[in-house]
Amino acid sequence: MIYLLCFVLFGVGMYGLLVKKNIIKLIMSMMISSYAIHIFLIASGFRRHGRAPVLDLSNNMQKAVMVDPLPQTLVLISIIVGAAGIALLCVVAIRLYQKFGTFDITKMKEEIED
Amino acid sequence: MIELYILLILMIIGSIIALEVRDLLSSVILVGTVGVCLSIGFIMLKAPDLAMTQLIVQILLVLILIRATISKDVRFINSKKEFGIFIIVIIGLAVFINFADEVVNNLPIFGKPIMWVSQTYLKNALNSTDVVNLVSKISLDYRIFDTFGAMIALFTAVIGVLAIGRQRSQEKD
Amino acid sequence: MSVEKRQYYFDQSKGMGIIVKTVTRLTVGIVFLFGINVALKGHLVPGGGVAGGGAIALALLSLILAFGKETALKNINRKRITMIATLGMMMFLFLGLIGLIGGNLFSTHFMDNEGKFGILKANIIPLFNIAICLLVGSGVYTIFITLIMLQVRKGSDK
């Protein structure tokens, strides 16, 4: 059920990416989709009554009740790359605004065709 | 895990409102709240590293987005909706969710992961070094090439921002 | 406090008001030290280079937001901060390449594990965290000051 809610969140992001015309809204849709994928990956590695992946040197039996650390690593890398890409997209959006005077992609297309 | 359901439903409602509201500044702030909800969800799913990183990166991204939308004449969107595209996209998403339901039924149950690769990492956790934080250990030891690629991507983004964001028009004036 | 400094504090034209300036002056050092702490303890407690570098960048950004860009960019200009970002990237690369000496693999642990260096008991992983912290902090700061220098004006690039 939690997986299905993650899919619904991804669907919301996809909806924005397909329907919206404002560039800032498109960037936000990409952010929402990446959030959905992040929380889906983390939830797939969750163990019930588990503990965070930080070892305690005095306790030997703890490795059996630990959540999966591998998806957390992959999502950590994904957050960095996503943030860098979104910052780059924002700069591109500002340059487009300076050139066309609008954030709307259909108006940009009309202005190019004129 | 009733809190996680509430949090996810809150995130869905927040993102729908953020995409539908006409004021761009409110929309940016709503995306910020969705990111903070994601950070709380990471804490509930026992991932404290990711919670810290997500919170800090979210604040930075909201600052950058507010900087992009700060001038007052672009704040409100005036555009008419096209209902044909809207209905087609809604039908497509309904089909997508329907297939996702079958995919979810074939996944392992929530709360019981298949830890195949991680077994090796957990077994050799303290063999070579004294690194206690396993996420740091995996990302900087076993999977160093992934982190290296991420850093190259970040550095390339910085160089790209510097190249795109030059003030060429100001030098002409 | 000297007279010029006091005049500067009461000057409303640059940056925000006096309350915000005073509170920022008190908290920016704490946030900066918190970022360094998170980055250096990345192998022991949750945290790491990315979160630490982001916290450092946030401290510098709060300086810009409170005091105005002329004051903040007087000492930390774009050339120096880009140099620090390049330094972080080169540090990451060379830490990996040192492992190649003697026919080993990329990023082989080249220190001994006896704990001679105190903080380096975890071998080269804290060094990687420091490199990531430098790269992320200065890189994010570079992105933000480039955005601040860009003027959002309608049709100025036509």
Side-chain angles (χ1 to χ4, degrees), chain B residues 11-28:
Chain B
M11 280 172 73
I12 291 169
I13 295 171
S15 33
I16 288 174
I17 298 173
L19 288 180
E20 289 300 329
V21 77
R22 283 184 181 274
D23 189 2
L24 268 183
L25 195 57
S26 321
S27 164
V28 169

Side-chain angles (χ1 to χ4, degrees), chain C residues 57-135:
Chain C
L58 276 182
L60 296 174
L61 288 191
S62 71
L63 270 186
I64 286 187
L65 293 178
F67 285 91
K69 59 185 175 191
E70 290 88 6
T71 317
L73 294 185
K74 206 189 297 170
N75 289 321
I76 314 173
N77 55 16
R78 197 189 298 185
K79 197 179 271 182
R80 284 187 195 171
I81 207 82
T82 317
M83 206 191 291
I84 295 177
T86 318
L87 182 74
M89 191 68 221
M90 295 292 277
M91 190 174 162
F92 198 101
L93 184 60
F94 278 113
L95 276 178
L97 286 183
I98 285 173
L100 291 179
I101 296 172
N104 289 319
L105 295 176
F106 186 81
S107 93
T108 310
H109 292 183
F110 57 84
M111 292 179 188
D112 52 354
N113 270 328
E114 301 304 317
K116 275 179 192 169
F117 298 97
I119 192 176
L120 299 184
K121 206 170 179 179
N123 223 320
I124 60 173
I125 286 177
L127 296 179
F128 272 126
N129 267 332
I130 292 171
I132 291 174
C133 171
L134 285 177
L135 176 56

Side-chain angles (χ1 to χ4, degrees), chain B residues 92-128:
Chain B
L93 285 178
V95 174
F96 169 71
I97 297 295
N98 191 22
F99 279 111
D101 196 14
E102 286 191 24
V103 172
V104 165
N105 288 334
N106 289 327
L107 284 173
I109 312 162
F110 177 73
K112 288 177 182 156
I114 310 173
M115 299 168 69
W116 201 320
V117 184
S118 312
Q119 286 299 336
T120 317
Y121 295 160
L122 284 178
K123 210 181 292 170
N124 301 329
L126 285 176
N127 271 5
S128 57

Side-chain angles (χ1 to χ4, degrees), chain B residues 166-173, chain C residues 149 151 153 156:
Chain B
R166 275 179 306 180
Q167 277 292 24
R168 208 179 298 147
S169 58
Q170 215 176 30
E171 289 166 7
K172 275 180 196 167
D173 287 342
Chain C
M149 289 302 175
Q151 287 170 349
R153 233 185 317 146
S156 66

Side-chain angles (χ1 to χ4, degrees), chain C residues 39-60:
Chain C
L40 284 183
K41 278 190 183 171
H43 58 293
L44 296 177
V45 293
V50 186
I56 287 174
L58 276 182
L60 296 174

